[in-house]
């Protein structure tokens, strides 16, 4: 199902709040979305943009993503693992919704691109999935924020090591389609980091049926149901200032000289809906962290430890922390799981391993397991200094070097003193005692 049709379905179920009051894209819309999260909002009266509506907070919880796939949150890790391992070709269609209208010339001011925060360097596209192609590796799908600085040019953040960065290094300039207004099959697939050469649109199709179409002016297959598509070229050497911008950690990222995206053509659906994504907010976090959970889960199981679940939790900026739940069978399972989790997510800084009785979505329970089961001298694993995440303000600037630590919060298998089990309080039905 396309973004538009899914939004209508949510509306019909009363799950979208419609905002009829006039709202400005200049900081106001983002502020309203942040205040309302995780409730999806549809702005129907966007100041200066009568032709557009703006939707945001669409997928700000794991539950909302699981709902799109019609599964439980517990099934997300197996579903994503299965889709990565068993990719399938999307269907190619002609006359796609995303090309119902081709804009006359390119003027980015005509799009309701949000400025999210006062100090931001400009208006930013933050929800676009970016389709690119390399003569050897074929197509790739990523996320890359893009800041407008002219009517047809944006500077776009491309972190070194990303597939897109590799393509740019090889070719100098690369055709790119920035596609706005997509559903979780495409968004989650774009956020996975798989081997260069794997087309994430095939992961999207394995997650749920995905239609693609030929871009209007580029030799690229793009998601056919996108609301708005910006087609153009990105240049390695032509650079422009990008930032400041609030990133995943809710801190300001520095200003850098980043590659320029020159927009040549804009197409969109009739009565377009702009998909907003508030940087640093829950939706950004869910989309970043969730695709790392299967890689950690797989790595821990491959290390011979029975991993039950993984939460790359919002408290850790959905990137720097991983909480790993295991069914402990051997005394060294906790430590093995720590090493394996770091191997499964290289940007992670702190790993917490807990027993199967702990709810890893409840920070109080995780802390309780630390308080009652952890002894630093015995259970702390200091990995030492390694490259971590460029997003972490405490990592060494430039090199990303960080001190990685693992915490084994699992109880010893043999109890010598007090029991490690949480005691049960007697249960009553309170209704019986209240008038
Ligand atoms: C909402 C969102 C925004 C992102 N923004 C950027 C970005 O601006 N630049 C970047 O290099 N990566 C960004 N990322 C991360 C990458 O796009 C993502 O990790 C992707 O998997 C990298 O794919 P690759 O392994 O094919 O290079 C973003 C991810 C999400 C979910």
């Amino acid at each position: 199902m396309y973004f538009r049709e899914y939004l209508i379905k949510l509306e019909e179920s009363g799950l979208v709040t419609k905002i009829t009051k006039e709202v400005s894209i200049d900081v106001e819309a983002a502020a309203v979305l942040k205040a309302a999260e995780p409730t999806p909002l549809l702005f129907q009266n966007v100041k200066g943009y009568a032709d557009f509506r703006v939707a945001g907070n669409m997928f700000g919880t794991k539950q909302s993503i699981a709902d799109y796939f019609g599964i439980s949150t517990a099934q997300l890790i197996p579903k994503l693992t299965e889709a990565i391992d068993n990719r399938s070709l999307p269907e190619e269609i002609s006359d796609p919704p995303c090309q119902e209208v081709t804009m006359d010339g390119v003027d980015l001011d005509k799009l309701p691109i949000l400025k999210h925060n006062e100090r931001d360097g400009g208006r930013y596209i933050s929800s676009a999935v970016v389709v690119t192609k390399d003569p050897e590796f074929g197509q790739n799908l990523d996320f890359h924020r893009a800041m407008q600085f002219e009517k047809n040019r944006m500077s776009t953040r491309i972190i070194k090591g990303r597939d897109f960065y590799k393509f740019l290094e090889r070719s100098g300039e690369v055709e790119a389609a920035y596609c706005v207004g997509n559903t979780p099959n495409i968004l989650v697939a774009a956020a996975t980091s798989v081997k260069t050469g794997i087309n994430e649109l095939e992961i999207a199709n394995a997650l749920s049926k995905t239609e693609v179409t030929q871009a209007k002016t580029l030799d690229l297959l793009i998601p056919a149901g996108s609301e708005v598509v910006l087609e153009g070229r990105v240049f390695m050497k032509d650079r422009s200032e990008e930032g400041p911008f609030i990133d995943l950690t809710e801190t300001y990222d520095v200003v850098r000289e980043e590659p320029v995206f020159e927009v040549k053509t804009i197409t969109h659906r009739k009565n377009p809906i702009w998909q907003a994504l508030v940087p640093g907010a829950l939706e950004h976090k869910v989309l970043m962290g969730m695709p790392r959970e299967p890689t950690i889960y797989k790595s821990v199981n491959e290390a011979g430890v029975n991993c039950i679940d993984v939460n790359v939790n919002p408290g850790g900026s959905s990137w720097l922390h991983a909480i790993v739940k295991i069914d402990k069978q051997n005394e060294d399972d906790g430590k093995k799981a720590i090493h394996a989790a770091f191997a499964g997510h290289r940007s992670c800084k702190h790993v917490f391993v807990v027993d199967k009785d702990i709810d890893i979505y409840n920070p109080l329970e995780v802390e309780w397991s630390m308080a009652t089961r952890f002894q630093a001298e015995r259970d702390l694993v200091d990995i030492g200094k390694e490259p971590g995440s460029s997003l972490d303000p405490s990592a060494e600037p430039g090199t990303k070097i960080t001190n990685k630590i693992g915490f084994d919060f699992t109880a010893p298998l043999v109890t010598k003193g007090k029991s490690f089990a949480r005691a049960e309080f007697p249960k009553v039905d309170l209704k019986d005692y209240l008038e």
Side-chain angles (χ1 to χ4, degrees), residues 126 140-145 157-159 161-164 190-194 200 277 284 287-288 292 319:
S126 52
N140 186 66
L141 192 66
D142 270 358
F143 276 91
H144 296 282
R145 69 197 191 214
R157 171 78 173 132
I158 306 171
I159 297 173
R162 297 267 185 262
D163 288 341
F164 190 2
T192 57
S193 263
V194 281
E200 286 94 344
L277 189 148
H284 189 185
L287 289 172
M288 276 295 279
R292 293 298 174 273
W319 197 242

Side-chain angles (χ1 to χ4, degrees), residues 38-60:
T39 305
L41 299 185
L42 180 63
F43 297 103
Q44 296 183 301
N45 186 357
V46 185
K47 192 174 175 186
Y49 295 90
D51 299 343
F52 277 86
R53 287 174 293 162
V54 172
N57 289 351
M58 286 295 294
F59 306 106

Side-chain angles (χ1 to χ4, degrees), residues 369-408:
S369 72
M370 180 186 203
T372 60
R373 298 178 180 178
F374 174 76
Q375 282 294 314
E377 191 182 41
R378 182 190 63 200
D379 300 323
L380 188 118
V381 179
D382 186 351
I383 305 285
K385 291 196 171 184
E386 276 191 7
S389 170
S390 61
L391 294 171
D392 178 4
S394 77
E396 199 176 276
T399 65
K400 309 190 293 191
I401 294 294
T402 197
N403 190 170
K404 297 188 179 178
I405 307 271
F407 299 82
D408 180 0

